[in-house]
Amino acid sequence: MNVSHEIDLLVEEIQRLGSKNANGQTSVKFGVLFNDERCANIFEALVGTLKAAKKRKLIDFQSELLLQGVHDHVDIVLLEG
């Protein structure tokens, strides 16, 4: 699977699992994404896909590195779509 395709799938999963925040953007907690069974089956390296999407300015989150458990409550915000 190529990175662009994985990022497209990530955007779809954020839209599926997330909800609108106060700014009207779709947002989902990292823990929700990480613990979702469908996401676990799609993404071999969820954190890597998140970093690639952030680098392309499609999503944003307030952490350099996301770790399961420690960062479960970090919001991942969809900037487009």
Side-chain angles (χ1 to χ4, degrees):
M1 212 179 295
N2 68 36
V3 175
S4 293
H5 181 65
E6 282 210 8
I7 290 172
D8 290 342
L9 292 174
L10 176 65
V11 168
E12 288 176 21
E13 294 305 306
I14 292 171
Q15 290 170 334
R16 179 178 69 89
L17 295 168
S19 57
K20 297 286 184 189
N21 63 18
N23 298 327
Q25 297 169 305
T26 302
S27 172
V28 65
K29 301 284 184 196
F30 174 66
V32 172
L33 264 183
F34 191 90
N35 293 312
D36 182 72
E37 189 173 326
R38 186 163 141 185
C39 287
N41 290 329
I42 294 173
F43 304 107
E44 286 185 32
L46 177 60
V47 173
T49 304
L50 287 165
K51 285 181 75 172
K54 184 176 181 179
K55 193 173 188 177
R56 294 180 187 195
K57 301 193 184 320
L58 296 173
I59 63 169
D60 193 28
F61 49 88
Q62 298 300 314
S63 183
E64 189 63 35
L65 176 67
L66 293 171
L67 299 172
Q68 194 266 329
V70 178
H71 297 108
D72 282 356
H73 297 292
V74 171
D75 285 313
I76 297 170
V77 179
L78 189 59
L79 300 177
E80 298 179 9

